Amino acid sequence: MQGLASVLAGIPLAALLIGPDQRIAATNPAALDLLGQGIGGRHFLTALRQPDVLTAIESTLRDHAPRRTGYQASDSGRDSSFVVHVAYIDTPESHGVLVCFEDMTEREQAAQMRRDFVANVSHELRTPLTALMGFIETLQGPARRDDKAIDRFLGIMQTEAARMERLVRDLLSLSRVESEERVRPREPVDLSGTIGSVLYMLRPMARERGCEIAFDPVEGIEVPGNADQLQQVFTNLVENAIKYGGAGNHITITIETLDKDVTLRAPGVAVRVRDRGPGIDPLHIPRLTERFYRVDTHRSREMGGTGLGLAIVKHIVNRHRGRLRISSTPGEGSEFMVILPRWTASQG
Amino acid sequence: MQGLASVLAGIPLAALLIGPDQRIAATNPAALDLLGQGIGGRHFLTALRQPDVLTAIESTLRDHAPRRTGYQASDSGRDSSFVVHVAYIDTPESHGVLVCFEDMTEREQAAQMRRDFVANVSHELRTPLTALMGFIETLQGPARRDDKAIDRFLGIMQTEAARMERLVRDLLSLSRVESEERVRPREPVDLSGTIGSVLYMLRPMARERGCEIAFDPVEGIEVPGNADQLQQVFTNLVENAIKYGGAGNHITITIETLDKDVTLRAPGVAVRVRDRGPGIDPLHIPRLTERFYRVDTHRSREMGGTGLGLAIVKHIVNRHRGRLRISSTPGEGSEFMVILPRWTASQG
């Protein structure tokens, strides 16, 4: 079976061969990962177990006709699903049934994500829309000619419409970044200058909330990137720090060069945005960059958040071949670190 | 090579083997479909042609290490893209390089569709939202205390908000139907009763537009289905016929049982919704059920259409394991035919 094992190893799917004695005659590494390291030589009934797969194999052993069926795997809480292709083969070396497992998990998850996304977008829009329609009706009926009510309601309507506009704008940003994610941007972008202009624009917001921001620019650090998108990254991070940093907030932004970052395998630069707010429960941290994931939905909406800010940050950082790391100590504050590959002479 | 050809035939991917003489020693049918029927026995350089693939094969023939690369195919205007897996194999029968083509086209198209969808939704929302925000601003400023302007603007605002609400409602319908598409609904639904109640609800709209509707119910025809969803199918189709049927419009709805429909391979029933409107250019027909595809964007928006109505119809009909057929003669009218499997005694 040496030869057939070598063929199976070349197939980019989990694959195994069942011999005429109904035992597993050959496997490839992906099949062992999927079904267990000890399946070689065992009767297929004890190795595969799912009735649809067993029936397909038995039938193909009998009539030699190819078949397709499904297989569900569950490993440490992660469900995977496969299309199983069963085919009779006949070689001088052996004959039997070749079983190949085509992994559909990613495709199914992508479909599920799309549906969740649409449901989320619709839900996010419905609330402000219902409010708007209610106010329009009230202004046409009960509050008609009531100048004070009209002024007040128009103010709320403006807030709700602006919320929807932010959502639409963030949706468009996200879809644009996603569609470009494979194309790495390569303009030299001055990092301190970018952060400086973000801070200049956010100064009024920070002042209004009594928030101090400390930033010591480091001159001459450039990264290959897209200036607008990097500006959006730091705008979103600093805005979050201002919004969620709590009372008496103090934000520190630092830039540090890394000679050879382990994950980037290249010279990098780390920008840290640190606040002294209440911090984030570690439970939430791995999910913060998911679309519409919020630690506190009510608070986020109140603050005008769309639930897409960190998802946009993550995708822009990915596009720049960088890393986003979030850490927090509840009661002491949070740190959002963006690591980007640095501009080097060879790229110039 | 007979034996290896039988193994290749069992692999559910386009696959071929290149022998030590650098010629294509074995292929499977999917590889012949992808690369041409005449590639067997040819030198791989003349059969594959794309530099990345050739380099990968040459290197693996030399050093026996596995490799991955990409392959783009274009067949009668349809682009496909593949991940190519190249692996050295060594069997008693032969040795050489196994090349497997993993088709990524569907996955890439799904990602592209999602991005287009988000961009479309955002665009559809932006127009009414901008209008709303403009009117709110005008009512807060120039038109403040101008009762006539207030009344008029509130009316337009209501129309715009209602348009957005319809879009959000249709988005939710669509995502719900899609998520259930694999689960076939099985309640017995009385077809004539469903269509009758749709017509009852649409009567005011038909009357308003001077449109006559003729329907001869056929009693006792049931289909396995979901009553609400089937009602939505016929509501969308009849609404479209009323909206786009033109002046002096006359709509005919007929029900016809099919003893054994060819495509369903089972007893079926065909419902035809026919109008005598201007008809649809055959160019548009294949694309009518795409999300946000519109023959006349301006007209559709004016009519209050979301661009999702026929996409919802298609998905509901799919879920019911039925067929939607659209035909039209420009100048004479259009026909939307829904074919559904009929309820049979064995299902009762």
Side-chain angles (χ1 to χ4, degrees), chain B residues 231-249:
Chain B
Q231 185 153 337
Q232 192 169 6
V233 163
F234 297 113
T235 302
N236 290 6
L237 293 180
V238 176
E239 246 187 44
N240 277 353
I242 296 173
K243 284 181 190 167
Y244 303 109
N249 189 11

Side-chain angles (χ1 to χ4, degrees), chain A residues 276-340:
Chain A
R276 296 199 194 142
I280 305 158
D281 190 315
L283 262 173
H284 296 297
I285 290 180
R287 301 194 59 192
L288 284 180
T289 58
E290 283 176 25
R291 295 139 184 243
F292 298 115
Y293 186 84
R294 288 166 164 130
V295 174
D296 180 340
T297 307
H298 180 71
R299 180 113 195 279
S300 157
R301 291 229 178 90
E302 209 178 45
M303 294 288 183
T306 59
L308 295 174
L310 287 177
I312 293 173
V313 166
K314 188 189 71 175
H315 282 284
I316 294 177
V317 171
N318 282 352
R319 193 189 165 207
H320 284 74
R321 308 297 186 265
R323 303 280 180 276
L324 174 67
R325 293 208 191 114
I326 309 173
S327 54
S328 182
T329 311
E332 291 181 20
S334 309
E335 178 181 289
F336 289 76
M337 173 160 67
V338 175
I339 300 174
L340 295 167

Side-chain angles (χ1 to χ4, degrees), chain B residues 185-295:
Chain B
R186 295 193 175 275
E187 292 298 306
V189 178
D190 175 64
L191 210 52
S192 290
T194 303
I195 296 171
S197 71
V198 165
L199 295 183
Y200 181 79
M201 283 188 298
L202 292 177
R203 198 144 298 168
M205 184 185 177
R207 203 176 297 130
E208 194 185 306
R209 306 199 185 214
C211 167
E212 261 179 72
I213 303 182
F215 170 55
D216 231 354
V218 182
E219 298 304 328
I221 297 184
E222 288 188 334
V223 294
N226 174 302
D228 289 342
Q229 291 188 343
L230 289 175
Q231 185 153 337
Q232 192 169 6
V233 163
F234 297 113
T235 302
N236 290 6
L237 293 180
V238 176
E239 246 187 44
N240 277 353
I242 296 173
K243 284 181 190 167
Y244 303 109
N249 189 11
H250 191 93
I251 298 170
T252 332
I253 299 166
T254 58
I255 298 185
E256 185 193 341
T257 57
L258 311 164
D259 274 347
K260 199 169 169 82
D261 181 72
V262 188
T263 52
L264 299 181
R265 300 172 190 208
V269 54
V271 180
R272 290 186 170 84
V273 178
R274 226 172 295 163
D275 67 60
R276 295 198 195 142
I280 304 158
D281 189 313
L283 261 174
H284 296 296
I285 289 180
R287 302 194 58 190
L288 284 180
T289 58
E290 285 176 25
R291 296 139 182 242
F292 298 115
Y293 187 85
R294 288 167 162 129
V295 173

Side-chain angles (χ1 to χ4, degrees), chain A residues 192-342:
Chain A
S192 291
T194 304
I195 296 171
S197 71
V198 166
L199 295 184
Y200 181 79
M201 284 187 298
L202 293 177
R203 197 144 296 170
M205 185 185 178
R207 202 176 298 131
E208 196 184 304
R209 305 198 186 212
C211 168
E212 259 178 75
I213 304 182
F215 171 53
D216 231 352
V218 182
E219 299 305 329
I221 297 184
E222 290 189 331
V223 296
N226 174 302
D228 288 344
Q229 292 188 341
L230 289 176
Q231 185 153 338
Q232 193 168 6
V233 164
F234 298 112
T235 302
N236 289 6
L237 293 181
V238 177
E239 245 186 46
N240 279 351
I242 296 173
K243 284 181 189 165
Y244 303 109
N249 189 10
H250 192 93
I251 298 169
T252 330
I253 300 167
T254 57
I255 298 186
E256 186 192 341
T257 58
L258 311 166
D259 273 348
K260 199 170 169 81
D261 182 70
V262 188
T263 52
L264 299 179
R265 298 175 191 206
V269 54
V271 180
R272 290 185 169 86
V273 179
R274 229 173 290 162
D275 68 59
R276 296 199 194 142
I280 305 158
D281 190 315
L283 262 173
H284 296 297
I285 290 180
R287 301 194 59 192
L288 284 180
T289 58
E290 283 176 25
R291 295 139 184 243
F292 298 115
Y293 186 84
R294 288 166 164 130
V295 174
D296 180 340
T297 307
H298 180 71
R299 180 113 195 279
S300 157
R301 291 229 178 90
E302 209 178 45
M303 294 288 183
T306 59
L308 295 174
L310 287 177
I312 293 173
V313 166
K314 188 189 71 175
H315 282 284
I316 294 177
V317 171
N318 282 352
R319 193 189 165 207
H320 284 74
R321 308 297 186 265
R323 303 280 180 276
L324 174 67
R325 293 208 191 114
I326 309 173
S327 54
S328 182
T329 311
E332 291 181 20
S334 309
E335 178 181 289
F336 289 76
M337 173 160 67
V338 175
I339 300 174
L340 295 167
R342 216 159 73 217

Side-chain angles (χ1 to χ4, degrees), chain A residues 83-217:
Chain A
V83 172
V84 182
H85 303 261
V86 182
Y88 182 76
I89 65 168
D90 188 2
T91 77
E93 194 184 347
S94 175
H95 61 103
V97 165
L98 178 67
V99 185
C100 294
F101 294 78
E102 188 182 2
D103 194 343
M104 306 301 283
T105 316
E106 199 190 309
R107 270 165 273 189
E108 287 177 7
Q109 279 172 349
Q112 185 57 46
M113 268 178 61
R114 196 188 68 164
R115 291 190 295 264
D116 290 349
F117 180 67
V118 173
N120 275 320
V121 170
S122 312
H123 182 74
E124 294 291 331
L125 289 166
R126 205 146 58 155
T127 314
L129 198 49
T130 307
L132 267 177
M133 294 194 71
F135 284 120
I136 293 172
E137 219 170 280
T138 309
L139 289 179
Q140 287 174 322
R144 211 165 165 249
R145 310 288 181 250
D146 176 344
D147 288 346
K148 257 176 73 182
I150 293 176
D151 287 347
R152 193 157 60 86
F153 291 168
L154 283 173
I156 308 176
M157 288 163 76
Q158 198 186 27
T159 308
E160 297 297 330
R163 178 199 305 288
M164 293 187 353
E165 207 187 34
R166 273 195 306 275
L167 178 63
V168 170
R169 191 202 53 203
D170 277 1
L171 282 173
L172 278 174
S173 286
L174 194 54
S175 83
R176 204 172 311 121
V177 177
E178 273 192 311
S179 71
E180 299 169 339
E181 201 156 332
R182 291 199 194 169
V183 188
R184 183 175 174 185
R186 295 195 175 273
E187 291 298 306
V189 178
D190 175 65
L191 210 52
S192 291
T194 304
I195 296 171
S197 71
V198 166
L199 295 184
Y200 181 79
M201 284 187 298
L202 293 177
R203 197 144 296 170
M205 185 185 178
R207 202 176 298 131
E208 196 184 304
R209 305 198 186 212
C211 168
E212 259 178 75
I213 304 182
F215 171 53
D216 231 352

Side-chain angles (χ1 to χ4, degrees), chain B residues 174-195:
Chain B
L174 194 54
S175 84
R176 204 173 308 123
V177 177
E178 272 192 314
S179 70
E180 298 169 339
E181 200 155 334
R182 293 198 191 168
V183 188
R184 185 175 172 185
R186 295 193 175 275
E187 292 298 306
V189 178
D190 175 64
L191 210 52
S192 290
T194 303
I195 296 171

Side-chain angles (χ1 to χ4, degrees), chain B residues 36-95:
Chain B
Q37 299 298 322
I39 59 164
R42 272 167 56 190
H43 194 284
F44 75 89
L45 286 174
T46 68
L48 287 156
R49 297 219 178 135
Q50 295 190 12
D52 289 350
V53 179
L54 301 181
T55 308
I57 294 170
E58 277 165 356
S59 309
T60 299
L61 275 168
R62 196 173 51 239
D63 68 7
H64 299 184
R67 282 184 175 74
R68 281 171 71 143
T69 183
Y71 182 84
Q72 308 298 322
S74 178
D75 186 27
S76 51
R78 276 201 359 220
D79 291 332
S80 310
S81 74
F82 296 84
V83 171
V84 183
H85 303 261
V86 181
Y88 182 76
I89 66 169
D90 187 3
T91 78
E93 193 184 348
S94 176
H95 61 105

